């Protein structure tokens, strides 16, 4: 298939309500533009002969006879009226793009030819980034190293890739020189120091704690009272398994030694890395790659007939979806009838 033969895409936008669909379509447009495709977004009357005619609202979709591929973006089907509407469209369109592989099975079970239905997991917005958790150390730093802060340096020395996944926040006295050691390793960190003579020192610390994600302590010196502050504001706590740290409930992770502390940091960092992978694999770049491959297959007149991979599973998914349908109220029935008449004329 010559990709250049499908170089232009018209995204049909019958109206713009400012919903997530409009934002998603602009992310798709921007990624297609970056690949050299010509893309325009507008109402049906603005169509100018583009090869791909991509209807962003399936309930208002009508085919364009001049397009090589008439495609429909299918969002949730949540009542019997919408099911009837999409069923009537199976013979009219070449392509149905669902929000996930699971939902493409719903269309297949309704009778959509398998080669027309694709499920591509809905992508995150192009501007979205996975939040980096802030790990707060709330304590003074002591010359004898009793808080085991050196463990943080050791951890990042052994796992330099983690410096992009965690933010260390130091709250208390005498952390300034330690910040120099963190900076030398490229670790992101913040230091907060309120003088003890400040009238609202404690209240300011409590307010800052509410912006954190974890409270961490490394010292095995009979416990740290700040554990109660962390619990009060809803943080996850990573604490030595000693003293009154024990028995604090399910939001507390206890460790017995340096290796155990490292394992807890690994768990936090792994969750960030996992979310990063999800955003990468489901991001607009991969989404558009799958979308283009599907459209190219739809434009191939000689493509083989495809069979459903698991018809029984598809029927089960359809059954489950119907169990969550909304009742056909007068409003929903009227809206369905209105859309049917609108497309007929």
């Amino acid at each position: 298939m010559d990709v250049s033969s499908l170089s232009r895409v018209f995204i049909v936008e019958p109206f713009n309500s400012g919903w997530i669909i409009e934002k998603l379509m602009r992310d798709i447009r921007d990624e297609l533009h970056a690949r050299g495709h010509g893309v325009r977004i507008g109402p049906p009357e603005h169509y100018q002969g583009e090869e791909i005619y991509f209807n962003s609202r399936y309930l208002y979709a009508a085919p364009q006879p001049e397009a090589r591929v008439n495609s429909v973006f299918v969002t949730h089907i949540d009542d019997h009226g919408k099911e009837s509407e999409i069923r009537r469209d199976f013979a009219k369109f070449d392509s149905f793009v669902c929000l996930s592989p699971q939902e493409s099975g719903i269309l297949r079970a309704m009778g959509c030819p398998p080669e027309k239905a694709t499920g591509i997991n809905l992508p995150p917005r192009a501007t979205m980034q996975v939040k980096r958790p802030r790990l707060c150390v709330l304590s003074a730093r002591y010359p004898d190293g009793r808080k085991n802060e050196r463990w943080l340096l050791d951890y990042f020395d052994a796992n330099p890739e983690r410096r992009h996944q965690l933010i260390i926040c130091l709250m208390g006295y005498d952390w300034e020189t330690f910040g120099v050691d963190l900076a030398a390793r490229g670790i992101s960190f913040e230091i907060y120091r309120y003088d003890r003579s400040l009238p609202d020192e404690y209240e300011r610390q409590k307010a800052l704690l509410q912006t954190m994600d974890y409270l961490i302590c490394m010292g095995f010196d009979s416990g740290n009272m700040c554990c109660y502050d962390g619990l009060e504001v809803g943080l996850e706590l990573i604490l030595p398994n000693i003293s009154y740290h024990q028995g604090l409930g399910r939001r507390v992770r206890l460790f017995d030694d340096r290796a155990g502390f490292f394992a807890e940091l690994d768990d936090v960092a792994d969750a960030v890395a996992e979310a990063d992978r999800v955003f990468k694999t489901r991001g607009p770049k991969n989404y558009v790659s799958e979308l283009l491959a599907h459209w190219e297959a739809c434009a191939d007149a000689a493509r083989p007939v495809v069979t459903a991979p698991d018809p029984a599973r598809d029927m089960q998914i359809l059954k489950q979806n119907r169990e969550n349908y909304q009742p056909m109220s007068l409003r929903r029935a009227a809206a369905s009838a209105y859309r049917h008449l609108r497309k007929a004329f």
Side-chain angles (χ1 to χ4, degrees), residues 50 57 61-62 104 109 126 132 149 157 164 171 185-187 206 222 232 234-235 241 248 252 264 267 299 341:
E50 288 87 350
R57 299 254 180 186
S104 65
R132 269 39 188 170
E149 64 271 14
D157 285 344
H164 301 304
M171 194 182 306
R185 291 164 170 79
I187 300 165
K206 290 280 288 293
S222 298
E232 183 184 14
L235 301 186
N241 186 17
L248 292 178
V252 180
E264 296 297 342
D267 192 54
L341 290 173

Side-chain angles (χ1 to χ4, degrees), residues 133-139 167 169-171 205 208-218 224-240 245 248 251-255 261 264-265 268:
R134 302 168 80 197
L135 283 66
C136 180
V137 179
L138 177 52
S139 169
I167 299 171
C169 301
L170 307 167
M171 194 182 306
Q205 287 182 342
L208 267 175
L209 269 184
Q210 295 186 53
T211 70
M212 304 296 168
D213 301 292
Y214 293 85
L215 179 68
I216 62 174
C217 301
M218 296 152 284
N224 196 320
M225 277 288 291
C226 68
C227 64
Y228 295 122
D229 297 315
L231 278 179
E232 183 184 14
V233 300
L235 301 186
E236 297 288 320
L237 278 60
I238 299 175
L239 306 174
H245 291 169
L248 292 178
R251 290 214 307 268
V252 180
R253 309 180 187 188
L254 298 176
F255 60 87
F261 176 66
E264 296 297 342
L265 292 188
V268 176

Side-chain angles (χ1 to χ4, degrees), residues 30-310:
D30 294 345
E31 178 59 27
L32 286 168
H33 275 162
R35 301 182 186 208
H37 293 264
V39 187
R40 294 186 311 112
I41 299 177
E45 59 269 21
H46 289 178
Y47 174 70
Q48 294 180 359
E50 288 87 350
E51 295 86 8
I52 304 295
Y53 193 73
F54 189 32
N55 291 271
S56 63
R57 299 254 180 186
Y58 81 96
L59 294 172
Y60 297 88
Q64 170 52 249
E66 296 180 28
R68 289 190 61 192
V69 176
N70 277 278
S71 185
V72 181
F73 183 67
V74 183
T75 52
H76 51 283
I77 301 168
D78 61 2
D79 63 41
H80 286 285
K82 291 177 184 177
E83 179 177 326
S84 295
E85 290 178 66
I86 194 71
R87 283 176 180 273
R88 288 193 290 264
D89 285 339
F90 290 158
K92 302 175 185 177
F93 293 90
D94 310 297
S95 153
F96 296 86
V97 180
C98 300
L99 298 178
S100 70
Q102 181 190 50
E103 281 156 291
S104 65
I106 292 174
L107 293 198
R108 291 192 297 268
M110 288 180 181
C112 182
E115 64 271 16
K116 291 186 176 185
T118 189
I120 311 174
N121 284 312
L122 186 73
R125 293 295 318 283
T127 55
M128 293 174 71
Q129 297 289 331
V130 176
K131 176 187 176 183
R132 269 39 188 170
R134 302 168 80 197
L135 283 66
C136 180
V137 179
L138 177 52
S139 169
R141 186 185 180 210
Y142 297 90
D144 60 8
R146 72 185 71 170
K147 295 302 180 181
N148 289 328
E149 64 271 14
R150 175 71 210 187
W151 289 4
L152 285 173
L153 303 180
D154 294 342
Y155 177 77
F156 287 108
D157 285 344
N159 306 278
E161 74 283 359
R162 299 301 200 190
R163 70 184 187 275
H164 301 304
Q165 296 164 343
L166 306 174
I167 299 171
I168 304 301
C169 301
L170 307 167
M171 194 182 306
Y173 271 57
D174 299 323
W175 288 105
E176 290 80 5
T177 57
F178 189 72
V180 174
D181 294 331
L182 292 173
R185 291 164 170 79
I187 300 165
S188 295
F189 67 95
E190 302 165 0
I191 296 179
Y192 302 93
R193 180 195 181 280
Y194 296 120
D195 195 88
R196 294 189 182 99
S197 65
L198 192 69
D200 58 350
E201 175 211 9
Y202 182 60
E203 288 73 19
R204 285 181 178 274
Q205 287 182 342
K206 290 280 288 293
L208 267 175
L209 269 184
Q210 295 186 53
T211 70
M212 304 296 168
D213 301 292
Y214 293 85
L215 179 68
I216 62 174
C217 301
M218 296 152 284
F220 281 77
D221 52 345
S222 298
N224 196 320
M225 277 288 291
C226 68
C227 64
Y228 295 122
D229 297 315
L231 278 179
E232 183 184 14
V233 300
L235 301 186
E236 297 288 320
L237 278 60
I238 299 175
L239 306 174
N241 186 17
I242 59 169
S243 191
Y244 53 84
H245 291 169
Q246 298 175 351
L248 292 178
R250 67 180 63 189
R251 290 214 307 268
V252 180
R253 309 180 187 188
L254 298 176
F255 60 87
D256 294 308
D257 51 25
R258 178 176 175 272
F261 176 66
F262 281 18
E264 296 297 342
L265 292 188
D266 277 341
D267 192 54
V268 176
D270 284 343
V272 176
E274 184 179 73
D276 278 342
R277 286 192 293 272
V278 169
F279 271 52
K280 181 177 181 180
T281 57
R282 293 193 179 187
K285 290 184 182 296
N286 284 358
Y287 185 90
V288 166
S289 292
E290 291 190 49
L291 190 58
L292 287 171
H294 169 66
W295 284 341
E296 289 168 23
C298 291
D300 185 357
R303 65 175 171 169
V305 174
V306 177
T307 58
D310 189 346

